Amino acid sequence: MAKKIKMNTAMRKEARKREDDYLKGLETKIQEYDPKTANSKFFKDLPISSQTLKGLSEAAFIKLTDIQRESIPVSLKGYDVLGAAKTGSGKTLAFLIPILEKLYRERWTEYDGLGALVISPTRELAMQIYEVLTKIGTHTSLSAGLVIGGKDVKFELERISRINILIGTPGRILQHLDQAVGLNTANLQMLVLDEADRCLDMGFKKTLDAIIGNLPPTRQTLLFSATQSNSLSDLARLSLTNYKSVGTKDITNKDDDEPATPKTLQQSYVISELADKLDVLFSFIKSHLKAKIIVFMSSSKQVHFVYETFRKMQPGISLLHLHGRQKQKARTETLDKFSRAQQVCLFATDVVARGIDFPAVDWVLQLDCPEDVDTYIHRVGRSARYGKKGRSLIILTPQEEVFLQRLKAKKIEPEKLTIKQSKKKSIKPQLQSLLFKDPELKYLAQKAFISYVKSIYIQKDKEVFKFDSLPTDDFAISLGLPGAPNIKFKGTKSFERAKELKNSSRKLKALEKADDDGEIRDKTKEVKTKYDKMFGRKNQTVLSEHYMNVTGVQGAENEEDEDNFMTIKRKDHILNEDELPELSLPTSIRGQKRALSKKASLSTKGNASKTVFDDDGVAHPVYELEGEEDFAKKGDAKTQKDEYLKKETEVMATADSTDKQVAKEKRQEKKRKRLEAMRREEMAEYSDNEGDVETQVYLGTGNLSDDMEDAESDTEDRQNKRARFNSTSDSEDDSDANEYGVTEIDAPETLEDLESLTARLIQ
Ligand SMILES: Nc1ncnc2c1ncn2[C@@H]1O[C@H](COP(=O)(O)OP(=O)(O)OP(=O)(O)O)[C@@H](O)[C@H]1O
């Protein structure tokens, strides 16, 4: 922080003049700076302020990297920038320095509000950017905030209005833009999108559009990434004006034969059968006990399973695991431990594939093939950063070998390795024995199996990921399972049938419509057996235990169920179709149609008549005429009429109150389901791949040097977050929505009320 000295008016004037002159001089230097002639090597050669230089040198940033040399002067001159450079090449400083400089030159104070906004696709990356900013900005008087989840609103509102540089993930930033009255973007000078293409991949396009829509068009915008996609060019076209592309040659390899991966990275691959991959992994770890390794896998369930089982087999190196389904506190601790350790193996999903700057990673191992070459580049980019050496190994199954061609098209040609026979060790018997002893592990194995199969199924590149030729039985055995869990695509007969369906394009669409529970819901054709209904109620306490027993899915209520695309059934508990109650159905097609058609059945049955049964079980027509004498015996007509009306009114009143009760229950059920759906949606959005995964909001206290994390009260914050999140999404089109985004409706008093309620619900 700038040191405050007591000054009188004259001194203040003098200081002000000196500052004016200095800033003018700086501005002139920027305009006159010509990167070609300047040929700067060090930060001190750039036209930047002494306070930023001081911060940089204290953090040991002295020499410029290529992307910094190229892009900082362009950004300082005020151009929009599309910056692309290899992983680990120093892009973070390339956008943070221009932010600090711009706000400094504009003499930004806390009263000017938000001056710069930095958007990052993951929370981890946002935290990392914030940390770098706190280091290099320590001599400025600017304030910075990290927007990552739930302090109380009053606290946020108070702070956010004084933040000058805000860093966060797209969803959370939009929420603040929508809700925080104190967040004034009218003066915003700079917008930065880090890993911009990833923000788009993760489906944040709409959110980004909405954020950009909230910002003044006169701002300067910088987009940075280590890979480039068409969507990024689209975003650049839409959000940048008169922009300069910087460093893009570095990664597009149009003009030279250089790959988009760092030169100092030694890349290799091995071909292994799917069923042997875990053996290869274990053998690899055993023979690299002194290394710092990251192992990438395709899903959190795989990470969880491999971590839990390998831990029990004690390979002789510390093991860590990190995925988006862990609590934020655990994730932050793991990141920290991994960063500090020198000999350690981290099992992770792609949540840390991009941008995260772990120091000195020796090996990046890809146990599962990445979805595309860009993901490959980002994963291997966790090693060989900032010119250091590093190595990578990708394990491909014979079916996935075609991925090497995809890499070759981008000039990436890893070297083939074969594993020495002497180093190969099968861990299958150990895994089997572990699973046999521990049902929890068996459950994890089943989930890992399912999530892997699902991950292959949903891949876009069908030439690389061949769902049909998955050796499922062998794979299951390799996880220690007795055989492939009987995966049932609900609504179809079996796994084999699912494959068959997958090959038929129309039915594929149906499969793609599968909901979170793996059920392909075709509402028009859905027929529920009593077993379906029972399983459908698995969350209800009475049946849940039984459901778990039948399906062998113990502890499912404690697990996030993202992988229930397909459900598993324990082999020994398959329900036999012949156990189901027998139905006699018409065999001919015409007969079936007739049975299902009301109209057709009426034609054969004649008009319907309503019958009532008396106490002796004798049937009478509903309107049975009574003889005059019998009628007269009961009293005069008026009294009878009044009595009848009274009785009927009572019946109607009872029916009305029952109806109201039923309507109320239905409404509550609907509300519950809606909240549940929102929660699931939110979990999905804030999950594995993992974008806006924050569970807490934290704003910096208004000073760059202040710390950032308060991971307390996770659950409570999660609830708060959820509440606000829902409220955001609903508020636009539902003026009656309360703070939870749920429309409160009065109990219908009349039939009209009920009708209008129904109409609203249908809408
Ligand atoms: N000028 C510099 N001098 C010394 N170290 C630097 C310099 N610039 C960056 N670094 C270091 O290099 C590493 C990589 O930097 P950074 O994380 O900004 O890379 P990146 O290009 O954003 O990578 P990715 O594409 O993977 O996100 C960091 O450890 C950072 O501290």
Side-chain angles (χ1 to χ4, degrees), residues 43 60-65 67-68 85-93 125 128 194-195 225-226 353-357 378 381-382 385-386:
F43 285 109
F61 296 127
I62 310 292
K63 247 183 119 181
L64 288 160
T65 66
I67 184 70
Q68 290 159 2
K86 292 179 186 182
T87 51
S89 58
K91 292 186 288 292
T92 315
L93 288 183
L125 191 51
Q128 186 179 294
D194 190 23
E195 301 293 348
S225 183
R354 292 201 178 214
I356 301 299
D357 185 47
H378 285 284
R382 295 319 98 206
R385 295 178 72 72
Y386 187 61

Side-chain angles (χ1 to χ4, degrees), residues 49-329:
S49 65
S50 51
Q51 59 182 25
T52 303
L53 269 179
K54 202 168 170 207
L56 283 166
S57 79
E58 282 172 9
F61 296 127
I62 310 292
K63 247 183 119 181
L64 288 160
T65 66
D66 290 347
I67 184 70
Q68 290 159 2
R69 183 181 309 107
E70 262 194 79
S71 74
I72 293 174
V74 180
S75 304
L76 288 175
K77 282 176 197 275
Y79 289 104
D80 282 0
V81 166
L82 175 60
K86 292 179 186 182
T87 51
S89 58
K91 292 186 288 292
T92 315
L93 288 183
F95 60 76
L96 286 182
I97 293 173
I99 289 180
L100 290 176
E101 287 301 290
K102 174 78 180 169
L103 299 187
Y104 171 65
R105 290 201 314 277
E106 294 289 330
R107 290 204 177 92
W108 213 259
T109 68
E110 61 178 83
Y111 304 107
D112 295 310
L114 192 64
L117 188 58
V118 181
I119 304 178
S120 125
T122 64
R123 180 179 180 183
E124 276 74 11
L125 191 51
M127 284 163 71
Q128 186 179 294
I129 296 167
Y130 183 89
E131 265 182 275
V132 178
L133 182 63
T134 57
K135 269 194 210 159
I136 66 164
T138 185
H139 296 288
T140 72
S141 55
L142 297 165
S143 59
L146 182 65
V147 189
I148 46 177
K151 290 269 174 188
D152 73 83
V153 177
K154 216 173 146 208
F155 175 91
E156 290 168 24
L157 286 177
E158 266 170 27
R159 310 269 157 170
I160 206 158
S161 59
R162 279 187 272 133
I163 295 296
N164 302 139
I165 304 169
L166 195 62
I167 299 166
T169 44
R172 191 60 56 214
I173 286 178
L174 181 61
Q175 187 184 345
H176 278 272
L177 285 174
D178 280 350
Q179 293 179 8
V181 192
L183 188 61
N184 178 9
T185 55
N187 291 337
L188 189 99
Q189 302 291 309
M190 286 180 90
L191 167 70
V192 175
L193 279 163
D194 190 23
E195 301 293 348
D197 56 343
R198 181 64 175 156
C199 287
L200 296 170
D201 287 354
M202 289 169 66
F204 285 132
K205 173 92 178 66
K206 274 192 186 161
T207 314
L208 288 180
D209 287 344
I211 294 173
I212 291 170
N214 269 292
L215 307 177
T218 48
R219 66 177 195 270
Q220 182 184 6
T221 306
L222 316 178
L223 303 189
F224 276 87
S225 183
T227 43
Q228 272 210 314
S229 61
N230 290 339
S231 51
L232 182 62
S233 319
D234 289 345
L235 184 69
R237 266 200 306 278
L238 291 174
S239 58
L240 305 182
T241 34
N242 188 21
Y243 69 93
K244 306 262 181 211
S245 289
V246 184
T248 35
K249 189 164 72 73
D250 194 26
I251 61 160
T252 49
N253 51 53
K254 277 185 186 139
D255 300 339
D256 51 32
D257 277 345
E258 250 197 56
T261 43
K263 279 183 202 153
T264 47
L265 179 73
Q266 198 181 328
Q267 302 173 63
S268 47
Y269 74 95
V270 284
I271 302 293
S272 160
E273 289 296 340
L274 178 63
D276 296 333
K277 284 205 312 191
L278 286 184
D279 296 341
V280 174
L281 176 64
F282 197 77
S283 307
F284 179 92
I285 294 173
K286 285 288 273 180
S287 49
H288 292 85
L289 297 179
K290 299 259 174 280
K292 184 164 180 171
I293 309 164
I294 303 185
V295 182
F296 283 106
M297 300 176 203
S298 58
S299 74
S300 50
K301 294 288 186 288
Q302 309 236 120
V303 166
H304 199 170
F305 170 72
V306 174
Y307 171 72
E308 290 299 341
T309 48
F310 277 36
R311 221 156 57 112
K312 293 212 157 50
M313 293 190 280
Q314 301 182 338
I317 185 171
S318 310
L319 299 177
L320 295 169
H321 73 313
L322 200 148
H323 55 78
R325 308 228 147 229
Q326 289 165 314
K327 291 234 168 96
Q328 190 53 47
K329 206 170 167 201

Side-chain angles (χ1 to χ4, degrees), residues 43 72 104 163 168 198 220 223 250 284 343 345 383 392 397 448 457 498 503 580 599 743 758:
F43 285 109
I72 293 174
Y104 171 65
I163 295 296
R198 181 64 175 156
Q220 182 184 6
L223 303 189
D250 194 26
F284 179 92
Q343 293 156 14
C345 176
S383 180
S392 71
T397 64
Y457 176 75
N503 292 332
L580 297 171
K599 211 169 153 189
T743 309
T758 315

